[in-house]
C-alpha cells in the first residue's frame, strides 16, 4: 500500500524500477539498474534479512514487512526493513546465504545474485554483518547491557504475561540463536 507521496505518478517509478530489474539482460544490469535503484543499499538490506533470518520478510515470504522507498535526493528506489519482530526464529536458523535466491518469485535476489559483481558485494556485506553484528562478544555485551537496563522493570511488571524466569531463559536462548546463526553462515 502506498503510504505517502508528493509524486504525480508514484507507481510509474516503481513499475519502471521493476521493469529494469526483471527485463534487463543480466549482463546489462550493472548499467541499467543503478540509475533507478540503490543497488548497494539493496544488497545490505538482503544481507541483513538473511543474517538475522527474518522469516516474515522479503527473503522468506517475498511480500512482507519491507518498504520500497523512493528517495527523492537520488531519484532511486531503496528497499528498507519495516518490521523485524520475527528474526532469529527456529525455522529459519538453517538458511544459507542464498536462501530463496534461485526462486524467480524473489527477483531482487534472483536477478541481483546472477551478476557476479553484485553477488560478491552481497557476500562482502554479509561477512561484515556476521563479523560485526553477530560477533559473540559484541552480542553478549549488548544483551547484558539491555537486559540490565530493563531487568528490574521486567521482574516487577504487574501486567506481565511471561514470568521473570522466562525472561532470563530468553536471554540465554537469544544468545544461542545468534551463535547458531553465525555458525550456520560461517
Amino acid at each position: 500500500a502506498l503510504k505517502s507521496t508528493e509524486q504525480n505518478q508514484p507507481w510509474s517509478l516503481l513499475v519502471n524500477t521493476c521493469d529494469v530489474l526483471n527485463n534487463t539482460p543480466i549482463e546489462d544490469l550493472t548499467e541499467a539498474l543503478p540509475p533507478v535503484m540503490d543497488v548497494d543499499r539493496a544488497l545490505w538490506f538482503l544481507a541483513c534479512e538473511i543474517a538475522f533470518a527474518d522469516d516474515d520478510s522479503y527473503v522468506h515470504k517475498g511480500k512482507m514487512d519491507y518498504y520500497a522507498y523512493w528517495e527523492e535526493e537520488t531519484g532511486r528506489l531503496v528497499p528498507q526493513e519495516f518490521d523485524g519482530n520475527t528474526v532469529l526464529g527456529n525455522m529459519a536458523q538453517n538458511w544459507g546465504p542464498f536462501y530463496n535466491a534461485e526462486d524467480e518469485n524473489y527477483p531482487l535476489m534472483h536477478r541481483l545474485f546472477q551478476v557476479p559483481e553484485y553477488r560478491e558485494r552481497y557476500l562482502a556485506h554479509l561477512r561484515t554483518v556476521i563479523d560485526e553484528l553477530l560477533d559473540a562478544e559484541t552480542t553478549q555485551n549488548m544483551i547484558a547491557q539491555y537486559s540490565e537496563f530493563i531487568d528490574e522493570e521486567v521482574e516487577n511488571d504487574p501486567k506481565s504475561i511471561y514470568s521473570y524466569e522466562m525472561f532470563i531463559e530468553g536471554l540465554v536462548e537469544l544468545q544461542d540463536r545468534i551463535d547458531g546463526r553465525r555458525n550456520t553462515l560461517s
Side-chain angles (χ1 to χ4, degrees):
L2 183 64
K3 297 293 182 184
S4 67
T5 186
E6 294 179 12
Q7 297 283 334
N8 290 334
Q9 299 289 328
W11 293 111
S12 65
L13 301 170
L14 179 61
V15 169
N16 180 56
T17 303
C18 291
D19 180 55
V20 170
L21 176 65
N22 289 314
N23 298 315
T24 300
I26 293 297
E27 61 273 9
D28 297 331
L29 265 182
T30 58
E31 296 285 328
L33 195 56
V36 296
M37 176 187 284
D38 189 325
V39 176
D40 194 56
R41 284 171 63 190
L43 295 170
W44 276 109
F45 165 75
L46 294 171
C48 287
E49 293 287 278
I50 289 290
F52 291 102
D54 189 353
D55 71 358
D56 196 17
S57 66
Y58 177 84
V59 299
H60 181 61
K61 295 181 181 174
K63 302 173 187 79
M64 307 281 297
D65 292 354
Y66 70 96
Y67 287 128
Y69 175 72
W70 191 263
E71 190 173 67
E72 184 177 355
E73 297 82 6
T74 64
R76 299 185 296 175
L77 184 107
V78 180
Q80 292 183 337
E81 165 68 27
F82 167 65
D83 180 7
N85 67 334
T86 59
V87 299
L88 299 171
N90 281 335
M91 69 179 240
Q93 281 294 309
N94 294 320
W95 289 358
F98 296 104
Y99 176 76
N100 274 337
E102 297 300 318
D103 188 333
E104 292 179 1
N105 292 317
Y106 298 84
L108 193 57
M109 294 185 297
H110 182 73
R111 302 277 295 162
L112 289 181
F113 295 166
Q114 289 181 53
V115 177
E117 175 185 330
Y118 293 160
R119 184 181 179 96
E120 290 304 313
R121 193 178 324 161
Y122 160 77
L123 287 172
H125 293 342
L126 185 59
R127 282 190 296 275
T128 299
V129 172
I130 293 166
D131 291 345
E132 294 181 10
L133 300 177
L134 294 180
D135 172 69
E137 183 179 341
T138 300
T139 56
Q140 287 168 0
N141 290 338
M142 189 179 299
I143 290 170
Q145 177 185 359
Y146 285 118
S147 63
E148 183 179 317
F149 181 69
I150 65 172
D151 184 81
E152 187 177 326
E153 296 298 322
V154 171
E155 187 173 24
N156 297 316
D157 184 356
K159 297 182 181 190
S160 177
I161 58 174
Y162 301 104
S163 69
Y164 180 70
E165 290 72 28
M166 290 175 76
F167 167 70
I168 298 300
E169 291 168 9
L171 298 175
V172 174
E173 182 180 350
L174 176 59
Q175 187 64 54
D176 288 347
R177 288 185 183 196
I178 291 169
D179 294 343
R181 200 66 197 116
R182 179 183 174 84
N183 292 338
T184 296
L185 291 169
S186 293

